[in-house]
Amino acid sequence: MKMFVSTLLLVSAAVLSGGGGAHAQSAVTEQNLVSDLQALSNRATVLDINKMQQEVLVEISTQHSEEAVNRTKYLDYFTNLPNFDVEILFAFDSDFIEPVSYPILGAMADALHNPILLGDQFLIVGHTDAKGDREYNLKLSQRRADVIREALVTTFRIAPDRIQAFGLGEEQLKDPSNPDGAVNRRVQLINLGPMQ
Amino acid sequence: VRAIRYMTAAVVAAGLAVSPAAAQTISYQQAVEGLSKACGADIDRSCKGVNLGDGRIFDCLQKNSAKVSENCKTAYAFTAASIAKRAAAQDAAPQLCATDIKRFCKEYDAGNGRIMRCLLSNTSKLDAPCNQAITDAGWR
């Protein structure tokens, strides 16, 4: 019951902030993505991904509780920007994208080419569940975010300066009451606002 | 460029004639649908661990064509051709729309999608080739 309640809370929080999560992933279309990812203002969010990666790594090696990695700094912050949770399936313990997830990648590419989003920059955030070593999961999620970015930039020709990739490992679970649950394995697509 | 070369090779290998003047392109989502559905088992068997990025999956399926199912061959050739068509339209659009940009969007700075949005707001007045290129590029 506790798990159910916290899932509900997360879902309503996402809906309130304009984020996705209510769509069945098999049916996600360019239109779903564009409407949820549409910029709410002209404010640009500038992130130093290398610095963020270093900071998380330091926090992991010095803190022993997962909650120690500041949620407001990452997950809550991203949730306040236009965002969409995408379910992309990877092979176990690998950065190999299962072919069943190609269409959702294609839909992401269609959305990023849509004129409504064309001038905006995006962040891909990779998350794992809590099984396994924290630092290992951090690196795995970075590799997974990187291969999604690579597919978008090469095969689907999104300008490389429009997308950044960031792995958060198991540090920001979607459902902390169910740390090993599949719901935690996800990729967030976040609109950072207009290109600088 | 490398990806496109592989895609072209894949199309030729599958024996499909692709006319550059062929009708409207389909979305990326539709384009990869066939590859996703028809090639899952083949990728699992012959290209496990190979990703879509940089045309590597097409390259791998082609290299293993002796083992790849006919269904998958047809599907990936179609996917590769669709993606290549879209890429060609994206490359051709600036040239095909140059006159219209001068005519309607002179006062807009490049970047941030401003020129594209300007062109789209003048859709009814654009030259047909420019309009078609924008559609085929997936920019509406």
Side-chain angles (χ1 to χ4, degrees):
Chain A
M1 191 57 199
K2 195 178 156 219
M3 182 185 102
F4 179 62
V5 169
S6 82
T7 306
L8 260 184
L9 280 175
L10 274 169
V11 168
S12 46
V15 169
L16 282 175
S17 67
H23 307 283
Q25 290 281 299
S26 57
V28 168
T29 64
E30 173 185 356
Q31 283 69 34
N32 300 146
L33 286 156
V34 169
S35 70
D36 281 1
L37 288 169
Q38 201 160 347
L40 304 169
S41 72
N42 279 329
R43 202 168 53 108
T45 301
V46 181
L47 300 174
D48 184 341
I49 302 294
N50 285 333
K51 194 169 155 236
M52 285 157 60
Q53 287 166 339
Q54 287 310 311
E55 279 172 2
V56 174
L57 205 55
V58 168
E59 285 178 85
I60 287 183
S61 52
T62 53
Q63 311 286 334
H64 295 293
S65 135
E66 278 153 31
E67 296 302 314
V69 176
N70 195 335
R71 242 181 138 82
T72 48
K73 198 161 152 191
Y74 302 107
L75 193 62
D76 296 350
Y77 181 72
F78 297 149
T79 308
N80 285 321
L81 298 170
N83 69 87
F84 200 104
D85 275 3
V86 186
E87 280 165 26
I88 291 181
L89 299 181
F90 289 90
F92 177 69
D93 200 17
S94 152
D95 62 9
F96 170 65
I97 302 169
E98 295 287 358
V100 71
S101 291
Y102 290 171
I104 180 101
L105 265 182
M108 286 165 75
D110 289 325
L112 294 175
H113 277 288
N114 187 292
I116 293 174
L117 302 181
L118 206 54
D120 295 336
Q121 272 187 311
F122 289 83
L123 179 67
I124 298 163
V125 186
H127 300 270
T128 66
D129 62 34
K131 273 177 249 160
D133 179 67
R134 286 173 74 192
E135 192 171 327
Y136 184 87
N137 282 339
L138 188 74
K139 289 186 174 144
L140 179 60
S141 67
Q142 183 66 53
R143 275 163 45 216
R144 286 176 170 176
D146 285 340
V147 297
I148 292 169
R149 180 182 180 277
E150 190 212 17
L152 290 172
V153 165
T154 59
T155 304
F156 300 116
R157 303 181 118 222
I158 305 298
D161 57 354
R162 285 184 65 208
I163 332 180
Q164 303 177 84
F166 179 47
L168 263 173
E170 64 182 81
E171 303 308 315
Q172 319 260 277
L173 300 170
K174 183 162 181 168
D175 184 0
S177 67
N178 180 22
D180 292 351
V183 67
N184 298 305
R185 299 195 287 269
R186 74 225 190 259
V187 169
Q188 290 180 294
L189 187 60
I190 295 154
N191 189 340
L192 298 178
M195 301 257 284
Q196 291 299 285
Chain B
V1 174
R2 211 174 118 223
I4 302 308
R5 185 156 45 82
Y6 287 136
M7 288 175 199
T8 312
V11 173
V12 172
L16 285 184
V18 179
S19 151
Q24 198 166 312
T25 56
I26 56 173
S27 74
Y28 282 128
Q29 186 172 24
Q30 292 168 319
V32 293
E33 203 83 54
L35 173 71
S36 169
K37 283 211 176 90
C39 296
D42 294 283
I43 292 172
D44 210 42
R45 194 167 45 237
S46 306
C47 301
K48 191 80 188 163
V50 178
N51 270 323
L52 195 58
D54 215 7
R56 285 193 300 273
I57 200 70
F58 299 107
D59 189 32
C60 178
L61 288 169
Q62 200 189 336
K63 244 191 326 215
N64 290 284
S65 64
K67 288 179 276 175
V68 170
S69 69
E70 289 308 312
N71 259 353
C72 169
K73 277 184 205 171
T74 310
Y76 85 70
F78 177 78
T79 299
S82 304
I83 291 176
K85 254 192 252 176
R86 187 149 272 220
Q90 289 166 0
D91 288 339
Q95 191 68 42
L96 293 172
C97 294
T99 310
D100 286 326
I101 292 172
K102 270 192 217 135
R103 233 187 322 180
F104 304 115
C105 308
K106 250 203 320 249
E107 70 273 30
Y108 288 86
D109 294 330
N112 257 356
R114 280 182 291 254
I115 292 198
M116 186 50 57
R117 280 191 292 272
C118 164
L119 286 174
L120 290 172
S121 66
N122 289 286
T123 294
S124 60
K125 292 178 267 175
L126 299 180
D127 280 347
C130 169
N131 240 334
Q132 190 62 47
I134 292 173
T135 300
D136 291 350
W139 290 335
R140 39 174 114 246

